Amino acid sequence: MSESATLYLLFHTQGCHLCELAQALVQDAAIAFSRRDICDDDTLAERYGTRIPVLMAPDGRELNWPFDAKQLKEFTGA
């Protein structure tokens, strides 16, 4: 399995305070992730525009905001 397959994906947009909070939680949990700005893709903006931040697992499951450290740990199994 490649390293990129183990990455979680954090959907966000620039200037989103909630997205910054979610990113801090993910970083504090030492979870490998990359970020994807939904404004770069019309389909993503339509899908996630009112739900961001959203953390997507490699298997496609999604954790919608609001979430806390405990919920993040349960979601990731970390």
Side-chain angles (χ1 to χ4, degrees):
M1 178 167 28
S2 70
E3 181 178 331
S4 62
T6 63
L7 286 179
Y8 286 79
L9 186 57
L10 181 63
F11 293 102
H12 74 102
T13 195
Q14 188 172 0
C16 169
H17 177 68
L18 298 177
C19 298
E20 293 168 6
L21 293 173
Q23 180 175 329
L25 281 172
V26 174
Q27 288 173 324
D28 289 348
I31 295 166
F33 75 102
S34 62
R35 299 181 329 148
R36 180 79 185 267
D37 191 327
I38 65 168
C39 290
D40 294 339
D41 182 307
D42 290 341
T43 302
L44 292 178
E46 184 176 324
R47 181 173 178 182
Y48 295 107
T50 60
R51 295 195 296 142
I52 59 169
V54 174
L55 186 66
M56 180 184 281
D59 64 7
R61 293 175 300 121
E62 295 179 347
L63 180 61
N64 294 302
W65 190 259
F67 55 84
D68 59 22
K70 181 181 177 188
Q71 292 166 314
L72 180 60
K73 183 176 181 177
E74 290 171 358
F75 179 73
T76 63

